[in-house]
Amino acid sequence: MEKLYEKITDHILQKVKSGELKAEEKVPSENELAAAFGVSRMTARKAVDNLVSRGYLYKVHGKGTYVSNQKEKIKIYFDEMTGFHERAVSYNKTAYTVVIRFEKKDPSEWVRQKLNLSEGEVYYIERLRFIDGRPVVFEISYMPVHIFPELTQEKVEVSKYDYLKELGHEILWSEKEFFAVMPDASIQQQLHINDRTPVFKVELTGALETNELFEYTKIFYNQTEFRFLERVGKD
Amino acid sequence: MEKLYEKITDHILQKVKSGELKAEEKVPSENELAAAFGVSRMTARKAVDNLVSRGYLYKVHGKGTYVSNQKEKIKIYFDEMTGFHERAVSYNKTAYTVVIRFEKKDPSEWVRQKLNLSEGEVYYIERLRFIDGRPVVFEISYMPVHIFPELTQEKVEVSKYDYLKELGHEILWSEKEFFAVMPDASIQQQLHINDRTPVFKVELTGALETNELFEYTKIFYNQTEFRFLERVGKD
DNA sequence: GAGTGGTCTAGACCACAAT
DNA sequence: TTGTGGTCTAGACCACTCG
């Protein structure tokens, strides 16, 4: 026996895929769907929420439910994200970085392990990057203080890596781990997304020419408004 | 006013993070939580489901809810995935690929655009890759028939790229797009995951030395049992 | 004020696992 | 048989948007 909410999910999905329901068009309300399919509102709601999670629909509290518009999303290549200002601007987009938090503190045991640190403080840095006024990326970085004794909020607002070069350092290697996660409340707030929207996440560990680990960073990508791509072997 | 389910979510999360609830330990049942917090079962359930989505807990129908064990996950580097058999086996793991579907068909308009094809059939290939008997990756590939007139299921079971080389072709460039998505029913089934587990997805487009597009592939990664990493600049 | 989605209740029955 | 999670009901009130 097929589940009741699956019937409704499939019914709406078919209309979206076939184009009968077009981008930005309004979907029947939860009450209307419940009446039309002869189910309770909670069941109709679960059906709609499934499609919200999968990115086909989005809801606006007090207004209604609408079909998402994939084509409007802005494409971003990862190599544009390093040297953030320069390139993004060249594509006729405004781009800037806001430092949400910048402080020295004692790292947790977890961060200590990630940075292979036995002692000493780290910088805790939260940055939010915008393109065309919309939040693209939220970053949380941990960097050992002893490697960057003079790091300031101003330097971090521009580029961490530029400052690295100024100090005469180079990046020997880095390691990235990739995740799909559901956002916690703070991520939802920063990226202006809801609790049903999965988020693409990268954890980054970087090492200097001395093999010392100089950063552990968590990066959260807002894929409701942007698309994230990588090119290999093409100019 | 804080939401009731958030209270319960935070309460459990605090116990998980502090270590009071350890990996693989049982969490109170939905009925017990409802009674303990004086709420309905649906509310307790929503609290638990939040933590399942975020990967902290997992449920087993008929048994109960348990704390996830992150440390047990198997690390996989992306460069191990090309040349799948050879490397994985060298790490003392069994690895094999199952071809779920292999057929020629007329592509949809969507796939035609992705492959820049005006006419002609494509191979539709579904592959499922296992490590230690557990599904790691589910792949859906579209490849133009006219480029690979003699492609067979047997060849695809080993490696698409080996066959490419046999034909004297090279890969000029490729483009990847990264997503976090909620899995539809078929992905859930193939990767043995539930409908609350977000999935890491990559869409891949590849071009030959002639600049012809030879594949459009969607790859779904099972992150409930595996971790996916990339190394840069390290041997 | 009317309509929408967000939260919440107090039940019910079912599917599944263990005893 | 008991207890678990999965689905579903028929209500309720709240927060929000808009005319």
Side-chain angles (χ1 to χ4, degrees), chain A residues 5 42 50 53-54 75 77-78 114 172-184 195-196 198-200 223 227-234, chain B residues 5 42 50 53-54 75 77-78 114 172-184 195-196 198-200 223 227-234:
Chain A
Y5 67 80
M42 289 299 275
N50 276 345
S53 296
R54 286 160 61 185
K75 279 190 184 183
Y77 288 86
F78 284 113
K114 284 285 181 182
L172 218 205
W173 59 267
S174 63
E175 188 169 281
K176 292 179 185 173
E177 181 164 0
F178 297 83
F179 303 88
V181 299
M182 297 310 290
D184 62 29
D195 62 355
R196 290 180 217 80
V199 168
F200 173 49
Q223 56 178 5
R227 303 167 60 185
F228 298 95
L229 298 93
E230 184 182 69
R231 279 179 286 221
V232 179
K234 192 188 186 183
Chain B
Y5 66 81
M42 287 301 274
N50 276 344
S53 297
R54 287 160 60 185
K75 279 192 185 184
Y77 287 87
F78 283 112
K114 284 285 182 185
L172 217 205
W173 59 267
S174 63
E175 189 169 281
K176 292 179 185 174
E177 182 165 358
F178 297 82
F179 303 88
V181 300
M182 297 309 292
D184 62 27
D195 62 355
R196 291 179 218 78
V199 168
F200 173 49
Q223 55 176 7
R227 302 167 60 186
F228 299 94
L229 299 94
E230 183 181 70
R231 278 178 286 224
V232 179
K234 191 186 185 182

Side-chain angles (χ1 to χ4, degrees), chain B residues 9-173:
Chain B
T9 298
D10 292 346
H11 177 261
I12 301 172
L13 187 53
Q14 182 268 320
K15 293 209 171 184
V16 171
K17 285 191 169 172
S18 74
E20 192 174 336
L21 276 168
K22 295 184 181 60
E24 305 301 346
E25 241 178 281
K26 198 169 187 175
V27 171
S29 74
E30 293 173 354
N31 278 319
E32 287 169 344
L33 286 170
F37 284 85
V39 300
S40 71
R41 188 187 145 208
M42 287 301 274
T43 299
R45 183 176 167 76
K46 176 155 183 168
V48 172
D49 278 353
N50 276 344
L51 294 173
V52 171
S53 297
R54 287 160 60 185
Y56 291 102
L57 308 179
Y58 67 94
K59 290 177 166 187
V60 182
H61 191 182
K63 289 188 69 177
T65 303
Y66 304 85
V67 179
S68 301
N69 190 346
Q70 303 298 333
K71 289 171 190 164
E72 285 295 306
K73 292 184 184 177
I74 299 173
K75 279 192 185 184
I76 297 181
Y77 287 87
F78 283 112
D79 56 17
E80 295 171 15
M81 300 290 296
T82 48
F84 189 64
H85 281 77
E86 303 72 11
R87 313 223 194 170
V89 169
S90 74
Y91 293 139
N92 290 329
K93 303 194 192 324
T94 64
Y96 55 91
T97 303
V98 174
V99 177
I100 310 264
R101 289 179 66 187
F102 180 90
E103 56 196 44
K104 293 181 191 179
K105 68 174 186 181
D106 284 316
S108 66
E109 184 52 37
W110 173 254
V111 170
R112 217 181 272 284
Q113 277 181 30
K114 284 285 182 185
L115 285 171
N116 200 20
L117 274 182
S118 53
E119 57 175 5
E121 285 187 315
V122 296
Y123 295 101
Y124 175 81
I125 306 164
E126 289 184 4
R127 301 197 303 175
L128 190 54
R129 294 173 157 204
F130 293 84
I131 286 184
D132 284 359
R134 288 176 289 187
V136 195
V137 174
F138 180 60
E139 293 185 356
I140 299 175
S141 285
Y142 302 87
M143 306 171 81
V145 170
H146 75 86
I147 297 180
F148 310 93
E150 305 290 331
L151 191 61
T152 63
Q153 177 159 341
E154 288 69 35
K155 282 170 179 156
V156 155
E157 260 162 18
V158 187
S159 168
K160 289 182 296 195
Y161 301 111
D162 284 354
Y163 182 59
L164 217 66
K165 281 188 183 167
E166 279 178 34
L167 291 178
H169 285 304
E170 283 190 6
I171 301 173
L172 217 205
W173 59 267

Side-chain angles (χ1 to χ4, degrees), chain A residues 2 10 116 140-142 156 171 179 182 186:
Chain A
E2 194 185 12
D10 292 346
N116 199 20
I140 299 175
S141 285
Y142 303 87
V156 155
I171 301 174
F179 303 88
M182 297 310 290
S186 72

